[in-house]
Amino acid sequence: MQPHVPPVPGGAAANPSGSASAKEPGGRTSIAEQAVAKVAAIAARAVPGVHTLGTGAGRTLGAVRDAVAGSDSSATAGVNVEVGETEAAVDITLVADYGIPLTGLADSVRSAVYAAVEDLVGLNVVEVNVSVADVHVPEALDPRAAKRPAGGQD
C-alpha cells in the first residue's frame, strides 16, 4: 500500500492533462565567491603533484590575516574566482612538487576544478587559469640544504 500524498496546490486540478506541473519551486540561489573558491581549492589540492596553493608571500600574508581577523583565508590561498549568476571563472596559483611535468599538472588541476565546481556548486565554469609559481624541491635534492662546517672552520 502506498502512503497518502496530499494534493499539491495548483497540481492536477489546475493542469487539465492530469499530469504533475513541470514548474519548479520559485526562489533564487546565490553562491558566494568564498564558497566557490573553497571548492576549487580543495579540488586543486587533491591533485597529485600539487605541493601547495599560493605563493610563499601570499601564504605568509594569509596566516597573519587569519591570526588577526580570525578568518580562514588560508583555505582559499592561491585561488581567485569571479562568480556570476550561472557562470564562474577560476584562477589558481600553485607550487608544484619537483619531478612532476608542469603542463600535465596544470591540465589535471584544470580538469579537477572544472568538475568540482560544476558538480558541487552547479555553476558553468567558463575558464580555469593555472599559474605555476614555483617548484618545491625536497631537502634531499636541494644543494642549499647541504651541511656546512660550523663556525667557518676547516
Side-chain angles (χ1 to χ4, degrees):
M1 176 182 256
Q2 293 184 343
H4 171 70
V5 179
V8 176
N15 187 348
S17 70
S19 65
S21 174
K23 185 177 178 181
E24 293 290 321
R28 183 175 160 239
T29 301
S30 65
I31 300 171
E33 288 182 352
Q34 180 74 7
V36 177
K38 279 188 181 180
V39 168
I42 291 167
R45 280 190 192 97
V47 174
V50 172
H51 181 72
T52 190
L53 298 183
T55 60
R59 288 192 310 273
T60 301
L61 180 61
V64 170
R65 188 173 41 239
D66 291 350
V68 172
S71 68
D72 191 19
S73 64
S74 61
T76 59
V79 180
N80 292 312
V81 299
E82 292 181 24
V83 177
E85 286 188 32
T86 60
E87 296 179 331
V90 182
D91 295 328
I92 304 274
T93 301
L94 62 87
V95 176
D97 286 328
Y98 176 77
I100 303 295
L102 300 181
T103 55
L105 177 63
D107 290 343
S108 296
V109 167
R110 188 173 293 109
S111 294
V113 170
Y114 262 99
V117 172
E118 288 185 348
D119 293 347
L120 298 175
V121 180
L123 294 174
N124 179 37
V125 178
V126 294
E127 66 180 0
V128 175
N129 299 307
V130 178
S131 297
V132 180
D134 200 358
V135 174
H136 175 259
V137 178
E139 238 182 78
L141 298 176
D142 190 351
R144 296 175 298 169
K147 303 250 183 204
R148 296 185 185 128
Q153 298 175 2
D154 292 337

